[in-house]
Amino acid sequence: MNKVVILTGGSSGIGRATTQLLRSQSCTVYEFSRRPAPEDPFHMCVDVTDGAAVKAATDAVFEQEGRIDILINNAGFGISGAMEFTDPADAHRLMEVNLFGMDNAIRAVLPHMRGAGSGRIVNISSVAGVFAIPFQAWYSISKAAVRSLTLALYNEVAPYGVQVC
């Protein structure tokens, strides 16, 4: 059966490559990102930091497809530089995208997955979440938080048939 996938941050890099790979495997991949992509009929212009927009887009995918099998939380970015010189507003923005954007997407898909009794949530982290990288403290902090969120959520949703990694 073809899987219905929502992937955040799919307009470039790892997200774009993942979207292309999954589509080549006959998955229907809805790509959420801030950048317009008029050439992609499954692209949705969604900022993951806007919880209402993420929910609305997720619900639209569910209405169109009747299910959501996989969520891949890939949206994120890094900041380079000494922690003490990083503008606090930049650090807050990074956490809003890398952690709370992921939370918004998870909250939007979980009711659909629980209702189906199945689903998989894939949260993209980094080795920086385990081994903090100097001059990338905020990125490392955000990825450590992603790792902890993933481990906690794994046990919370397993009874409903939802897998988290």
Side-chain angles (χ1 to χ4, degrees):
M1 179 185 351
N2 297 340
K3 299 292 184 183
V4 176
V5 180
I6 292 175
L7 184 140
T8 68
S11 63
S12 64
I14 292 170
R16 188 78 193 136
T18 303
T19 297
Q20 291 169 346
L21 175 66
L22 290 172
R23 287 180 178 164
S24 77
Q25 302 295 314
S26 299
C27 292
T28 302
V29 181
Y30 287 85
E31 185 268 312
F32 291 5
S33 67
R34 293 173 298 130
R35 295 185 188 118
E39 73 286 350
D40 183 349
F42 295 98
H43 167 81
M44 300 177 88
C45 225
V46 180
D47 182 339
V48 296
T49 66
D50 182 341
V54 173
K55 182 177 179 343
T58 299
D59 290 347
V61 170
F62 184 78
E63 287 177 28
Q64 175 71 28
E65 300 294 337
R67 69 184 201 277
I68 299 167
D69 301 304
I70 301 170
L71 167 65
I72 301 173
N73 278 308
N74 176 69
F77 71 97
I79 297 173
S80 294
M83 184 175 172
E84 68 178 304
F85 299 123
T86 300
D87 184 321
D90 292 340
H92 283 252
R93 175 75 180 150
L94 180 140
M95 294 301 288
E96 195 65 36
V97 172
N98 293 11
L99 179 62
F100 295 109
M102 184 175 291
D103 175 57
N104 288 335
I106 290 167
R107 289 174 188 267
V109 301
L110 269 179
H112 301 296
M113 290 180 173
R114 272 196 320 270
S118 66
R120 180 172 296 214
I121 298 171
V122 179
N123 296 328
I124 304 299
S125 187
S126 167
V127 69
V130 179
F131 301 105
I133 300 172
F135 301 103
Q136 293 208 3
W138 287 107
Y139 179 77
S140 298
I141 291 163
S142 74
K143 293 305 180 174
V146 165
R147 183 173 183 271
S148 290
L149 180 146
T150 301
L151 293 170
L153 187 63
Y154 173 91
N155 290 307
E156 289 181 18
V157 300
Y160 305 103
V162 179
Q163 301 174 341
V164 183
C165 63

